[in-house]
Every structure is written in structure tokens, then in C-alpha cells.
Amino acid sequence: MHFQDVDQLTSFLDEESIRFHKVGVFDMDGVFRGKYMDRDKFESSLRKGFGFCDVVLGWDSNDQLFDNTEVSGWHTGYRDAPVSLDLSTVRKIPFEDDTILVIAQFDGDYEAVCPRRLLGRSIAKAKSMGFGVRAALEYEFFMFKETPESARAKGYRDLEPLTPGMFGYSMLRSGVHAELYHELLESMELLECPIEGLHTETGPGVIEAALRHDEALAAADKGALFKTFTKILAQRMGLMATFMSKWSNEYPGQSGHIHISLEDHETKHNVFYAGDDPDGLSQTMRWFMGGQVTLLPELLPMICSTVNAYRRLVPGMWAPTHANWGIENRTTAMRAIPGGPNSTRSECRVGPADANPYLALGAALASGLWGIENKVEPPPVIVGSAYANPSDAGVPLPGTLGEATRKFSASKVARELFGDAFVDHFAATRDWEDRLARKHVTDWDLARYFEII
């Protein structure tokens, strides 16, 4: 739904007898934090904005307060941060009658660390260079015959997947569970997050959804809402969906691939396509890929932002381990897809399903634009398996969140692209995440060392 102004929206609310109004912001981890508002408060917020407790920028995904940030903390008194509602994000919620949803973003002093605002600044940069940005996200997620209560009671062990075995692209599985697939397809269409392709992946209960491409900010909104409402829909059906990068030692991790194309702002032609090039790739695209590959080791925490994300980056698990690129090569970190004049694009394959869509897409876009500005030639293209010859595979990616965060914090280019306020705040939140993990004694530790060492 698209509204020109607040008056047009309020007329729509009356015409559709909308009784419930939900608003929310996405935090540093991409978690949707929000509330219901009554009609008067909602209208006032549309016109003047409102205050949202800055604690949502000062705690982690488990509501534990950071002890190392300046943006939010006891020293700020957890005051209200100014936020504004984006009229372009209004949509009905399919399984909540007479209810609409609107996405908000942080303003004022908090704008510099707002994930959605960060992506907006990268898009504005592209526009100043004469480009429009189109993007699409695709996600793998596992479905379980569990509830939040049963999963906790089991200590997240011995969980029962929706389906058994390794059965990618299974018409059998999707036919048996057609009601789930249909509900997901229909609900996301109504939520204005249309799914272009939906199929089983390799693993018990794993599904992959490719979302329809759109302008970059709308694509990120769709990705963030898709993950949130897929989990809601699953739990309403007595199931659980997880987007964590790697939930099992036995199965491949879950990806969140990022597709980007640039178009001429005036002609709308895809500037990545070149009909006279043997591979169909323009020089502009090669510079874009050069920037992405060059900066990936420095910007990795914006894409792989959890401790668990690095469990996925191991050889042979369909996830890259080095900063490199290939043409139609699914073993590389960056994949150039020669799709002709309409769909030639870059695919960032290092992305996990648990990434914050705004930050991951923002990093992938900003690094590519940096490559164009600086005419960065990409390294030699990888042909065949990127795992076959590690010495020729490119720069190794950081192997842990802690290592990646230190590299990110020290990156001059990251600070040029995103500003000191964001880099300092986000690095502090990732350092917190890493410290929590290092305090924890795992099952692997116990099995490895308890008796033998």
C-alpha cells in the first residue's frame, strides 16, 4: 500500500475499519521491537513522530544490557529516542483482523546508529552516483515440530524436525505439507513480502524462500518482515522456525544470500550488463565486485554478526571461507550472475540467515559503491571449487566474531563509509556478544576435556 500523506492514510483507516495499529523498529540484531497504539496516538505519531525507549539500542537479543556502549545505557537514563514512521511501509497483517503495521526508524542523535537509516544512506550515495539500487534476499530456515516451551524444556536438544532426512527440492515433502507452504505463500503475499520461489533444501525440515526483488530499502523491509512473520506463522501453527546460522553439527548452515543490481537512475537500464563482454559483465560491475571482495574481511561483522554465524564458514558446507569471487560459482564469497540486460547481478553468498537485513545489505552495497568510486579491479576469478587450492582462494575471512569485530573496528574504510558513531557502537555490541560466548562452557568442552585431558 502506498500513501501520499497522512490524511490519505487516515481516510484509508476509516474506510477499512482499521481498529488496531502496530508500530516497530528493528534493533541492531534485526529483531523487531514494537507496540500497539490507539488511534489518537497513532495519528499523532504519524504527524510528529514519537519516543521509543533507547534501551532497544542498548541491549542484546536476549534483553541483556550492554556494559560498553555510549549510545544507550544507565548514563542516558534510557531516555526516549526520537523515531518517525515511514508511510511507505504501511501494510495489513494477514492473520490479525483490522490491523495495520508500520515500520519506524530512529531520528536525531540516534540516526547514526539506526540500521535502517544506515542502509538509506548507502542508497542515497548510490543515487548521488547516478544509480538506482534493486535487491532481493533469499533465506533458508529449519522448521520443527516444537513450541517455544518444548524447545526450552528439551534444552534445545533432540528437537523433532518437520520432516526427516536429506531431501532437497522435494515435491513429496512440499506436497505432504502443502497447507504450510500455501499458508506461507498466501500470508507473505498479503503482507507485501511476496515469495518468488519456495522449496525444500538439503536437511531435515529445511526450507528455502527467495523473495521477489524490489528497490533496496523495500527489499530489506521485506526480508526483515519475512523472518519475523515466518516465525509468527509457524508458532501459530504449533511449529517453530529458526533462522540461526547453524543449529546442528550434522547439517549445512542456513544462508541469507544478498542479490544486488544497479540501474541507471534515468534510463533504468541495468548498468551491470554489457552485451559486448564475453561474460556479459560491465566494467562497472567488475569494480563493484572488486569493492565487495576487497572490503569483505573488514566489514564481515555487519553480515556475519553472531557467534554462531562463524560455525557455518567452514570448507565443504556451501559457505565461503575466503574473500573471492566467481562467475556462476556457488563456492565463492561473491558470485557474479550474468542474467542478461534484466537480471545481471551480484550475489553475496557469505550472508547467513540470521543477519540483520539492513546491515548486511548496507555493507554489500556500500562496499560495491566504494569499488566503483575507486575503480577497484577484482582479483582473478575463481574457476571451479574455491576450496580446492586454499593458497589461491583469496584473503582468508576472519574465523570468529571476536577476530572479525577487531578488524572492523580498526577499519578506516568502515569509518569512512558508516561513520565513527556507528562503527564504535556496533563493534561494542559485537564485542559484548563475543565476550558472552567466551564465558560459556559448551557441551563440546565437557565432552572433550572433562575426563581425558
Side-chain angles (χ1 to χ4, degrees), residues 139-337:
Y139 291 108
E140 295 171 350
F141 55 98
F142 278 80
M143 297 289 285
F144 293 90
K145 295 180 181 179
E146 303 288 350
T147 66
E149 293 76 20
S150 70
R152 283 169 168 78
K154 292 180 177 182
Y156 299 96
R157 299 180 183 88
D158 301 318
L159 302 178
E160 183 181 359
L162 177 65
T163 57
M166 311 286 276
F167 205 168
Y169 299 99
S170 170
M171 297 297 277
L172 172 61
R173 296 285 188 248
S174 61
V176 170
H177 296 281
E179 291 81 5
L180 170 62
Y181 282 77
H182 293 177
E183 185 69 28
L184 190 59
L185 288 164
E186 291 175 359
S187 295
M188 291 304 160
E189 188 74 34
L190 292 170
L191 194 61
E192 300 183 35
C193 301
I195 297 172
E196 192 173 75
L198 187 67
H199 62 87
T200 66
E201 254 295 353
T202 298
V206 63
I207 299 173
E208 179 173 330
L211 305 184
R212 192 178 303 163
H213 66 88
D214 205 333
E215 295 181 358
L217 188 58
D221 289 337
K222 290 177 179 180
L225 292 173
F226 171 79
K227 291 203 294 180
T228 299
F229 282 91
T230 293
K231 288 183 280 191
I232 291 172
L233 178 63
Q235 291 189 30
R236 288 172 64 91
M237 299 179 74
L239 303 170
M240 283 193 77
T242 182
F243 288 83
M244 70 181 293
S245 293
K246 204 167 190 298
W247 72 273
S248 169
N249 296 330
E250 300 176 28
Y251 306 113
Q254 300 180 92
S255 66
H257 296 159
I258 305 161
H259 297 255
I260 299 176
S261 63
L262 298 183
E263 60 185 19
D264 183 278
H265 193 65
E266 294 184 358
T267 67
K268 306 302 181 185
H269 292 159
N270 186 330
V271 301
F272 283 173
Y273 172 69
D276 57 354
D277 181 80
D279 297 314
L281 309 181
S282 70
Q283 181 62 64
T284 298
M285 183 174 187
R286 293 180 187 276
W287 287 334
F288 190 88
M289 300 293 287
Q292 288 190 312
V293 172
T294 300
L295 294 186
L296 181 59
E298 297 178 42
L299 305 185
L300 191 60
M302 294 179 66
I303 300 172
C304 297
S305 57
T306 66
V307 170
N308 183 251
Y310 295 81
R311 314 271 193 245
R312 173 176 163 267
L313 305 184
V314 294
M317 284 293 181
W318 292 97
T321 56
H322 291 69
N324 50 32
W325 77 296
I327 300 172
E328 278 294 15
N329 190 334
R330 285 183 167 87
T331 70
T332 55
M334 300 295 172
R335 171 188 173 213
I337 303 176

Side-chain angles (χ1 to χ4, degrees), residues 401-424:
L401 179 61
E403 179 188 353
T405 299
R406 290 187 289 274
K407 197 172 188 69
F408 172 73
S409 183
S411 170
K412 292 181 180 179
V413 178
R415 293 179 180 276
E416 291 171 5
L417 294 177
F418 307 115
D420 289 334
F422 173 78
V423 172
D424 289 340

